[in-house]
Amino acid sequence: MVSWSWRRRSATKSFPVDEDEQYKFQHIEENISAPEFQSVLLLRAIRQPYEATASYAVPVPQLDSEMLVMVKAVGLNPIDWKAPDYNFGIPTLPYVAGREFVGTIIQVSKTHNSRLKEGDLVIVPSTDYRDLRKAAFQEYSIASTFNAIRVPRQISTASASILGVAFVSAALALGICMGVGFEKIEDGPDLLKVVRNINPESLPVDMRQECLEGIGNYEQAKADDFLVIWGGSSTCAHAMKQIARLAGLRIISVVDGAKHGLRLSTHTTARPDLLVDSHDPERAIDIIKTATNNRARFGFDTIGKETAGHLLRALAPPSSNITSLPKDQRNTDRKDSTLPTPPSTPLVVSLESPRAHLVGLTGLPKGDLPEGLALHSVPIKLFHEVPEVGEALSGWCERLLLKGLFVPPDVVGTVDGLTGINEGLDRMRRREISGGRLVAVLR
């Protein structure tokens, strides 16, 4: 399944923007005070359902940059069921989960210089999963001021609750791992410049090399470069395509054509330049290489190690040695040609030759790496551990939402309150949810 469309286009129609701050963002004037106790969902054991628990203490801000938010809606993510089922990403038990929500600020430090105030409705991508105070599966949650995004009036609460983590992940993958600068897009940040101009000791230790040495200046993605997204139907891919399009990249999306092809080929904001069916990975790799004349240098995988291995082969230079990859990621299904093999010119990769760059959202292929290709993981910690990064992304997201340049994923269903979350996660386990996200509505 293939469809081309090279024309440049904006993500969606821009909304008129009123300069009055009170008009632009959703805000309530009445004072709301938090109770001493609340209801939460607790994970008490691996591979068990979450348990509704009352009389759980409301978390308390500990820093001037922290605020208390009354949760109104929670976006349900795949990790919310995969983490307890497969026992990863759970630092302690009992555990409070939930990675993104929308809520109303009810307490913020008066001494902290912030664009936020009490009564603002905000999106909170809760990427700091080790701090249970910041989790979404509770009635009240803690958020850092530099990790909160005000909600414009044209965005519904449910839609806002499912966009934050996808936006942050996509922006960091593009801005840090691929070196895309956003300065010409609604005064967005140059994330590489941000992290390379601050004290390296301020960067998370395990992210330092990615930030400082992950990509050279001569390798950074620029307008008209190809970006291949394997797993292009996901919510994160939805965000990636919009931001990449604004930056002028040409987008190739590899998806299950039978399941997602028609929707994505006609989708206003998620339509790629080239749509490729993933049913036959070998055929998909051939299409990508042929269509781009072997010039695709940037890839983003949203599924896992196996598909990241396919994407690696699609990005690898023609003369790269890929025989050291795991057997299930090699091209072993084709019969040898009876025609003589023409002589080839060895690929020479110098220090100044731009490499291909593959970013894995959930996993990367094992084995020796083909020459001329670099692997990256999304440096998500930067959002909550480096205030300069968090504030830059949060403010930029607000501006994109205001002008309709970034559109939330589709809400494909809702569940009622915290007690409905287990039901929603079961539907996700059964693969009943696609093309968008479920939302738990609390208020």
Side-chain angles (χ1 to χ4, degrees):
M1 176 179 180
V2 185
S3 69
W4 277 109
S5 177
W6 282 127
R7 63 186 182 279
R8 299 268 60 81
R9 51 187 177 272
S10 62
T12 187
K13 180 180 178 181
S14 293
F15 292 97
V17 178
D18 193 291
E19 294 304 319
D20 180 3
E21 198 76 2
Q22 289 298 317
Y23 177 80
K24 291 159 66 176
F25 297 104
Q26 298 186 44
H27 180 86
I28 58 172
E29 294 296 337
E30 60 264 30
N31 292 324
I32 302 175
S33 58
E36 186 177 354
F37 298 99
Q38 63 169 338
S39 294
V40 304
L41 280 189
L42 281 180
L43 181 70
R44 296 193 180 276
I46 300 302
R47 287 179 285 279
Q48 295 295 318
Y50 293 97
E51 179 183 308
T53 305
S55 301
Y56 194 88
V58 170
V60 177
Q62 298 174 356
L63 304 170
D64 274 355
S65 59
E66 293 183 344
M67 56 191 185
L68 184 62
V69 180
M70 181 176 67
V71 180
K72 297 188 68 174
V74 177
L76 302 187
N77 283 274
I79 195 172
D80 296 330
W81 70 265
K82 290 182 178 180
D85 281 15
Y86 298 105
N87 192 16
F88 71 91
I90 300 175
T92 185
L93 289 172
Y95 183 63
V96 185
R99 297 278 63 86
E100 57 187 340
F101 64 91
V102 164
T104 303
I105 300 173
I106 61 174
Q107 182 183 335
V108 63
S109 173
K110 299 296 189 297
T111 62
H112 188 68
N113 183 18
S114 171
R115 60 197 153 77
L116 305 167
K117 53 187 174 297
E118 292 174 5
D120 282 347
L121 185 69
V122 291
I123 299 162
V124 181
S126 183
T127 56
D128 190 0
Y129 72 96
R130 293 184 178 277
D131 191 340
L132 274 57
R133 301 175 308 136
K134 297 179 179 178
F137 290 179
Q138 54 188 339
E139 294 180 306
Y140 296 87
S141 183
I142 297 296
S144 296
T145 55
F146 51 85
N147 287 160
I149 302 160
R150 290 175 293 178
V151 182
R153 293 190 176 275
Q154 69 267 21
I155 305 292
S156 72
T157 300
S159 294
S161 71
I162 59 174
L163 71 85
V165 171
F167 174 85
V168 170
S169 300
L172 287 171
L174 283 165
I176 298 293
C177 304
M178 304 182 203
V180 178
F182 306 125
E183 310 96 302
K184 296 181 180 178
I185 310 169
E186 291 301 313
D187 195 27
D190 183 331
L191 293 176
L192 271 185
K193 185 179 294 184
V194 170
V195 297
R196 291 176 178 180
N197 284 345
I198 64 178
N199 185 346
E201 298 298 321
S202 301
L203 300 172
V205 174
D206 54 345
M207 303 284 166
R208 205 167 290 167
Q209 183 173 2
E210 176 65 58
C211 293
L212 303 179
E213 304 173 13
I215 190 168
N217 294 336
Y218 60 94
E219 298 178 306
Q220 293 174 219
K222 58 185 181 303
D224 287 330
D225 278 343
F226 294 98
L227 169 63
V228 184
I229 304 174
W230 204 297
S233 64
S234 72
T235 302
C236 195
H238 176 89
M240 173 72 79
K241 282 181 275 192
Q242 292 186 72
I243 301 172
R245 179 177 293 124
L246 292 172
L249 300 183
R250 296 190 283 186
I251 303 159
I252 299 172
S253 189
V254 186
V255 301
D256 182 336
K259 192 173 183 180
H260 302 291
L262 180 60
R263 178 179 65 87
L264 292 179
S265 65
T266 58
H267 200 290
T268 304
T269 58
R271 181 182 178 183
D273 294 301
L274 173 61
L275 189 65
V276 180
D277 192 354
S278 63
H279 178 71
D280 182 348
E282 297 299 331
R283 176 62 175 157
I285 292 167
D286 280 348
I287 290 172
I288 293 166
K289 285 182 166 294
T290 301
T292 66
N293 195 23
N294 289 304
R295 290 188 294 116
R297 285 200 305 116
F298 298 94
F300 183 64
D301 177 82
T302 71
I303 302 176
K305 293 179 182 179
E306 182 178 356
T307 51
H310 299 323
L311 182 51
L312 180 148
R313 292 176 52 215
L315 299 177
S319 300
S320 290
N321 176 19
I322 61 171
T323 58
S324 56
L325 290 174
K327 186 175 181 180
D328 63 351
Q329 294 170 15
R330 302 178 198 165
N331 182 7
T332 58
D333 297 331
R334 297 187 177 184
K335 296 180 180 179
D336 292 336
S337 172
T338 57
L339 297 175
T341 303
S344 61
T345 303
L347 176 69
V348 178
V349 180
S350 70
L351 292 177
E352 293 303 317
S353 296
R355 298 168 295 173
H357 296 268
L358 167 58
V359 186
L361 182 65
T362 61
L364 290 167
K366 300 295 184 181
D368 295 336
L369 194 63
E371 192 174 24
L373 199 146
L375 300 182
H376 307 261
S377 296
V378 179
I380 199 72
K381 278 186 184 179
L382 296 177
F383 182 65
H384 61 264
E385 291 198 14
V386 182
E388 295 90 338
V389 172
E391 180 65 32
L393 286 178
S394 297
W396 186 44
C397 187
E398 286 182 2
R399 296 191 292 275
L400 294 178
L401 290 171
L402 277 171
K403 292 199 172 180
L405 296 175
F406 184 81
V407 177
D410 295 330
V411 176
V412 296
T414 60
V415 296
D416 187 17
L418 292 174
T419 56
I421 287 178
N422 279 320
E423 172 197 346
L425 297 180
D426 283 342
R427 292 178 62 191
M428 294 168 69
R429 285 184 178 95
R430 296 192 296 265
R431 303 294 194 269
E432 295 175 3
I433 303 301
S434 65
R437 285 281 168 85
L438 281 178
V439 174
V441 179
L442 275 64
R443 295 178 173 87

